[in-house]
Amino acid sequence: MHDDFPSPAIWFTHRISYGETDTMGVLYYAEYLHIFERARSEFIRACGMSYRDVEEKDIILPVREAQCRYRAPARYDDLVQVHTAISQWGRASMRFVYEMWNEDKTHLLATGSTQHALVNRQGRPVAVPDWLRDLLGNLQ
């Protein structure tokens, strides 16, 4: 594992389902982003608030950019561990980073990131509020 992974961070566990795989039983490339999304939601929840609660405070986090580097295949019925953290804050944006590992965290399967704008319900940029930065910097 990388010692320089940002902190605070969580580990999200996911079992690869049959429907997430291609005809060779390998995790379909687009599904990595879905798993990253689940890990991101769990990161927010682990900080003490659901993403739905964040949206109710008029903060929406659309993805502006997504990146994934595939290093080794995940396969049907594998249990994977996704390390998730925030690596960067902008004035009105944030970046999550992800590492997907095998079950015992000995083989790195993929790395990725998603950059999110902060906007209100009208789609206008919003400066990162202090409450959100404080919330997401303090895992419970």
Side-chain angles (χ1 to χ4, degrees):
M1 285 178 277
H2 298 118
D3 292 331
D4 60 345
F5 199 79
S7 180
I10 66 152
W11 286 97
F12 172 71
T13 303
H14 178 77
R15 183 162 312 273
I16 306 302
S17 72
Y18 186 80
E20 293 172 314
T21 62
D22 61 18
T23 56
M24 297 185 303
V26 172
L27 182 62
Y28 183 66
Y29 77 95
E31 291 295 334
Y32 287 79
L33 294 177
H34 288 145
I35 295 169
F36 291 168
E37 177 186 5
R38 291 181 192 109
R40 183 170 64 247
S41 292
E42 287 305 312
F43 178 93
I44 295 170
R45 186 176 309 281
C47 291
M49 186 179 282
S50 73
Y51 181 56
R52 178 179 296 198
D53 294 335
V54 172
E55 287 184 332
E56 287 175 1
K57 291 180 167 281
D58 203 25
I59 299 292
I60 314 297
L61 302 172
V63 175
R64 291 188 354 183
E65 177 183 299
Q67 179 272 333
C68 184
R69 181 170 178 201
Y70 310 98
R71 297 173 178 268
R75 300 182 185 282
Y76 168 64
D77 208 37
D78 283 355
L79 200 61
V80 296
Q81 305 283 344
V82 183
H83 209 192
T84 307
I86 297 170
S87 66
Q88 181 181 26
W89 290 95
R91 191 184 72 70
S93 66
M94 60 194 304
R95 181 177 299 274
F96 281 87
V97 290
Y98 315 90
E99 291 180 339
M100 182 183 290
W101 292 83
N102 66 331
E103 182 175 3
D104 62 3
K105 302 175 187 170
T106 57
H107 291 94
L108 182 62
L109 305 176
T111 58
S113 66
T114 51
Q115 184 186 42
H116 302 262
L118 275 75
V119 301
N120 61 20
R121 282 187 173 78
Q122 292 72 44
R124 293 190 194 98
V126 175
V128 175
D130 290 340
W131 67 263
L132 183 64
R133 191 184 304 262
D134 291 346
L135 175 79
L136 298 182
N138 295 304
L139 282 171
Q140 301 193 1

